Amino acid sequence: MNASERDRLSRLWEEHMRTPFPANMRRREIEGEDMVYLDASIAVGVSSSLSEPFDEERRAALLSCLAAVEKVLPLIDDEGGANEHYERLRAMAALAVEIGNAGPR
C-alpha cells in the first residue's frame, strides 16, 4: 500500500470519528445484519489496521464485514446520512484490507 492510500484511510477514519452515527440505524437490522454492530466491527478493524500489523484473523473478520456492508448498502435509505455513513465504512474496510494485504509495515 502506498502512502496516499494510507493517508486516504486516515482521512476517512478522522471523518468517521467526527460524524455522528445515523440515528435511524440504531436498533435496526437489515438482511440479518445489526447495523450498529456492523459499524463497530468495521471501526475496530480499521482502527487496528492503522495502529498495528494486521493478522489473518483480523483480515478475515474485516472481509466478512466488507461483504455484509456491500450486501446491505443497496437497501439503506439516505435518511439522516445513513447511506453516506455506510459508504464510508465500506471504503475504509476495503482500504484496511489492502493495508493487511501489503504485509508488515
Side-chain angles (χ1 to χ4, degrees), residues 30-91:
I30 299 175
E31 291 290 313
E33 300 295 337
D34 179 302
M35 301 310 286
V36 172
Y37 182 78
L38 183 57
D39 173 273
S41 297
I42 291 174
V44 166
V46 169
S47 176
S48 294
S49 75
L50 288 169
S51 63
E52 56 193 43
F54 215 56
D55 62 26
E56 188 56 37
E57 183 178 336
R58 288 182 191 184
R59 181 181 177 279
L62 200 51
L63 280 171
S64 176
C65 290
L66 184 55
V69 78
E70 288 177 347
K71 174 179 71 173
V72 301
L73 261 173
L75 305 171
I76 295 174
D77 57 40
D78 201 32
E79 179 184 332
N83 194 280
E84 181 180 339
H85 183 84
Y86 284 92
E87 285 283 355
R88 183 175 47 251
L89 283 169
R90 182 177 57 82

